[in-house]
Amino acid sequence: MSDLDRLASRAAIQDLYSDKLIAVDKRQEGRLASIWWDDAEWTIEGIGTYKGPEGALDLANNVLWPMFHECIHYGTNLRLEFVSADKVNGIGDVLLLGNLVEGNQSILITCVFTDEYERRDGVWKFSKRNACTNYFTPLAGIHFAPPGVHFAPSGA
């Protein structure tokens, strides 16, 4: 594997990592479906395992999106290990902030993602993702709101 191929692969995988977070936050079905191999598995501990692009959409449409009015993921600490030229293992941390539908309650969630990525016919996608939740913490008395909701403009 050349240094150039390794750098290009690393950039493509970093995009996949971000694409998953963006797709869930922005409710982009096309983006979410496009990042999984047909035989991929996405496991969220305590919720279940979902297979392929259809499983990812099922999880988003029937579990994640009905749970949140809105959410935002912050992904960090992505570390990649090349197992071979076409297989990479990854680990990364995610912080999610959002407003739950139930109780109109804000929440903080932290997870560790352990991933497997595969390149097939020159394309990188997820072959496996495991999400292990560290914290699922309702933020009592807090409701996240866009700028300007809580404060009147000056002079008002």
Side-chain angles (χ1 to χ4, degrees), residues 41-63:
E41 292 184 356
W42 180 7
T43 301
I44 298 180
E45 294 181 11
I47 294 177
T49 299
Y50 296 79
K51 296 184 187 263
E54 298 81 14
L57 292 174
D58 179 37
L59 175 60
N61 282 307
N62 296 305
V63 178

Side-chain angles (χ1 to χ4, degrees), residues 125-142:
K125 293 187 181 187
F126 283 97
S127 57
K128 191 173 281 190
R129 164 157 276 189
N130 186 69
C132 176
T133 302
N134 300 107
Y135 302 106
F136 192 99
T137 307
L139 301 173
I142 295 173

Side-chain angles (χ1 to χ4, degrees), residues 62-83:
N62 296 305
V63 178
L64 301 177
W65 292 335
M67 187 185 313
F68 295 100
H69 284 295
E70 64 277 318
C71 64
I72 187 163
H73 289 79
Y74 297 97
T76 187
N77 297 335
L78 178 61
R79 182 76 171 125
L80 302 175
E81 175 190 347
F82 284 81
V83 176

Side-chain angles (χ1 to χ4, degrees), residues 47-126:
I47 294 177
T49 299
Y50 296 79
K51 296 184 187 263
E54 298 81 14
L57 292 174
D58 179 37
L59 175 60
N61 282 307
N62 296 305
V63 178
L64 301 177
W65 292 335
M67 187 185 313
F68 295 100
H69 284 295
E70 64 277 318
C71 64
I72 187 163
H73 289 79
Y74 297 97
T76 187
N77 297 335
L78 178 61
R79 182 76 171 125
L80 302 175
E81 175 190 347
F82 284 81
V83 176
S84 69
D86 296 318
K87 186 170 182 176
V88 171
N89 292 336
I91 188 168
D93 298 317
V94 170
L95 168 71
L96 179 150
L97 297 170
N99 290 317
L100 293 171
V101 169
E102 186 176 318
N104 207 25
Q105 172 72 57
S106 294
I107 192 153
L108 177 147
I109 301 170
T110 63
C111 295
V112 175
F113 289 152
T114 51
D115 301 319
E116 294 177 16
Y117 306 90
E118 287 184 25
R119 177 168 51 183
R120 301 178 189 173
D121 297 322
V123 176
W124 285 100
K125 293 187 181 187
F126 283 97

Side-chain angles (χ1 to χ4, degrees), residues 13-31:
I13 292 166
Q14 289 170 331
D15 283 349
L16 286 173
Y17 186 84
S18 295
D19 279 345
K20 186 272 172 193
L21 304 178
I22 291 166
V24 171
D25 290 348
K26 309 287 191 252
R27 300 179 186 227
Q28 296 176 341
E29 288 185 340
R31 183 187 300 257

